[in-house]
Amino acid sequence: MRLFAAPGEPLAAALRELMNTPHVTLVVAEDDNGVAGTAQLTVLRGLSWDGAPRGLLEGIRAARRGVTSALLTWGIDEARRRGCARIHLDSGVNRADLRDFYARFGFEYSYQGFTRVL
């Protein structure tokens, strides 16, 4: 919860639900100081892209970039292992340095779609 800077109970409720969702995988990176990072991979299948599964990697929070690199590498490898044809990185990135960082892992800065707050 410290990594997400979010109120405890709503985040805890989401965590309980996600842990019981079969197409969602959550990982936690730890070091000598405890939790150092977290990531969530959701494997989705839809009618677009010829029905091929795709991964949505999100919730990457880390205390330092080395952990972030390890979580990104895990997400990419796990999506590939689970047969995903592509992986999306859900990040509200407005910072050029993070776009460059993600590009080193093969992600292209793009946006395809629309968002509406409900």
Side-chain angles (χ1 to χ4, degrees):
M1 290 184 210
R2 172 183 50 81
L3 290 172
F4 284 89
E9 186 47 40
L11 191 58
L15 180 60
R16 284 190 299 272
E17 181 179 332
L18 291 168
M19 289 176 68
N20 291 304
T21 304
H23 59 278
V24 174
T25 303
L26 300 168
V27 294
V28 174
E30 294 180 306
D31 63 14
D32 293 337
N33 297 318
V35 174
T38 183
Q40 172 185 334
L41 176 67
T42 304
V43 176
L44 306 164
R45 185 180 290 272
L47 298 177
S48 57
W49 296 298
D50 297 323
R54 62 190 182 279
L56 173 60
L57 185 58
E58 61 184 321
I60 295 178
R61 299 288 191 277
R64 59 189 179 282
R65 279 225 168 136
V67 175
T68 305
S69 296
L71 291 169
L72 283 169
T73 300
W74 167 82
I76 294 165
D77 291 346
E78 182 64 12
R80 187 177 290 122
R81 187 187 74 74
R82 294 180 63 182
C84 293
R86 65 183 66 229
I87 186 168
H88 303 275
L89 176 62
D90 190 8
S91 178
V93 174
N94 293 322
R95 293 174 32 199
D97 63 323
L98 286 179
R99 288 194 301 265
D100 294 342
F101 176 72
Y102 294 140
R104 289 198 303 267
F105 288 85
F107 288 95
E108 296 177 11
Y109 183 67
S110 67
Y111 182 79
Q112 300 171 356
F114 302 90
T115 300
R116 178 180 170 177
V117 176
L118 300 176

